[in-house]
Amino acid sequence: MSVSFPGATKVCPCPCFPAGARVLSYAAGLAPTRAALSPRGGVDGPYRDPVRTIGNFLWFLLAGWWLALGYVLAGLLAIVLIITIPFGIASFRLAGYVVWPFGRTVVVSREAGIWSLVGNVLWIVLFGWELALIHLTAGLLLCLTIIGIPFGVACWKMVPLALIPLGTRVVPVSAVDSDRYGVPVGNEPARPA
């Protein structure tokens, strides 16, 4: 039986796969697309949004609301200091991300420039180290329970964002081709290294 999908073909001489099954083949550096991995149209299929919603709800209950509260307080303090109003805007943007993070990702803007670098240094001194410490503490507390371990790891992944928020954008996962670690998430096949 020959089963094909965009980017690769795999021939199975035995009846081990039912008719119409998708078979993964990474020959010649080709990887299957997300749509090819599932007959429902993607890795996550129709279950993507409910699972993210459940994850976001659990995140909100366990850590999201008080992490967001820390960002809101930092934003209010930045707005009171007038000259740091851009930091306040960035802090409110991050509060929205921290309260409901699953299904969104952070993209670094390559055209940020020198003012973003200067702003990030000031951010670290004024607000960043405190927020990073809050994330580290929350991650440690979440890892004390079995159900909290994935949330604790997610909390630790937000530490760099708490330290260096300027020059980044929060976008839906569907708007990027790969995550921060280079793992393809779009419908494009992976390119050979």
Side-chain angles (χ1 to χ4, degrees):
M1 161 173 70
S2 175
V3 180
S4 65
F5 52 86
T9 301
K10 176 75 174 171
V11 177
C12 182
C14 63
C16 56
F17 295 103
R22 311 252 187 224
V23 181
L24 305 180
S25 173
Y26 291 91
L30 297 175
T33 63
R34 280 182 77 135
L37 292 175
S38 170
R40 292 187 283 278
V43 172
D44 304 321
Y47 305 107
R48 181 189 72 219
D49 292 333
V51 171
R52 285 182 183 161
T53 302
I54 292 169
N56 280 323
F57 184 71
L58 287 173
W59 172 265
F60 180 79
L61 291 177
L62 295 174
W65 68 271
W66 61 279
L67 287 171
L69 181 65
Y71 281 97
V72 168
L73 292 175
L76 290 174
L77 182 61
I79 287 177
V80 167
L81 298 175
I82 306 291
I83 197 165
T84 56
I85 287 177
F87 297 158
I89 294 169
S91 187
F92 292 141
R93 178 177 46 91
L94 293 176
Y97 175 63
V98 168
V99 80
W100 206 258
F102 300 109
R104 298 189 286 172
T105 189
V106 177
V107 177
V108 176
S109 178
R110 298 291 178 207
E111 62 273 352
I114 189 72
W115 293 112
S116 177
L117 175 69
V118 171
N120 279 326
V121 170
L122 287 173
W123 172 268
I124 290 171
V125 171
L126 295 175
F127 308 108
W129 70 271
E130 295 96 341
L131 293 170
L133 188 62
I134 290 172
H135 275 284
L136 290 172
T137 305
L140 182 65
L141 292 174
L142 286 168
C143 285
L144 293 177
T145 64
I146 298 296
I147 194 167
I149 291 174
F151 297 113
V153 172
C155 196
W156 288 333
K157 287 182 180 180
M158 291 182 192
V159 170
L161 184 62
L163 285 172
I164 306 174
L166 302 177
T168 60
R169 291 180 298 127
V170 177
V171 297
V173 172
S174 61
V176 294
D177 291 331
S178 64
D179 66 3
R180 295 187 320 208
Y181 307 104
V183 178
V185 296
N187 287 330
E188 297 295 320
R191 292 175 186 84

